[in-house]
Amino acid sequence: QVHLVESGGGLVQTGDSLRLSCAASGRPFSSYAMGWFRQAPGKERELAAAISRLGINTYYSDSVKGRFTISRDNAKNTVDLQMNSLKPEDTAIYYCAATTSIQYITRNVYNYWGQGTQVTVSS
């Protein structure tokens, strides 16, 4: 098992940047591919970005590609999401999640979740 705790959310203005961080504890961190999901009110949870176990491969949804960057540090057991050029439509609760599946761009393979952190982008 792995325990995940997100941090770094907040209220920002359009065009600002924000960095989210997720700290993991438990089973060796490099056992997991990691994802950052987000859920806006009234919408389904979306996989925004994901990274493979060793950080070699990444995935981004079309809505964040070119603006967000996911990275991980297996020595520190952390995965970060750097968010640039934020837009009001990025407003959501952001969740860190972990999976042992190699199909890490598939939403329903994630079985460990953090509690979420709120990101609000004002126009």
Side-chain angles (χ1 to χ4, degrees):
Q1 271 195 324
V2 63
H3 181 61
L4 304 171
V5 179
E6 303 97 335
S7 61
L11 172 64
V12 296
Q13 295 185 333
T14 298
D16 285 351
S17 297
L18 203 60
R19 189 176 186 90
L20 305 182
S21 187
C22 174
S25 60
R27 185 174 166 181
F29 187 57
S30 58
S31 301
Y32 300 94
M34 301 297 297
W36 280 99
F37 288 75
R38 64 184 187 178
Q39 187 165 21
K43 294 189 176 182
E44 287 191 356
R45 192 169 294 189
E46 171 195 23
L47 177 59
I51 190 166
S52 59
R53 288 177 292 175
L54 299 182
I56 295 172
N57 297 305
T58 57
Y59 161 84
Y60 298 95
S61 68
D62 288 342
S63 58
V64 309
K65 196 174 296 181
R67 299 186 299 121
F68 290 12
T69 302
I70 188 171
S71 61
R72 68 188 295 162
D73 187 332
N74 286 350
K76 295 182 179 179
N77 291 357
T78 58
V79 58
D80 292 348
L81 186 68
Q82 176 66 41
M83 305 185 294
N84 298 330
S85 302
L86 283 162
K87 306 174 182 180
E89 50 264 44
D90 294 318
T91 295
I93 300 175
Y94 283 71
Y95 298 91
C96 173
T99 179
T100 55
S101 172
I102 60 173
Q103 303 293 333
Y104 61 91
I105 64 172
T106 303
R107 185 180 70 175
N108 61 5
V109 303
Y110 286 82
N111 41 19
Y112 300 103
W113 296 84
Q115 81 287 352
T117 185
Q118 177 71 49
V119 172
T120 303
V121 184
S122 65
S123 56

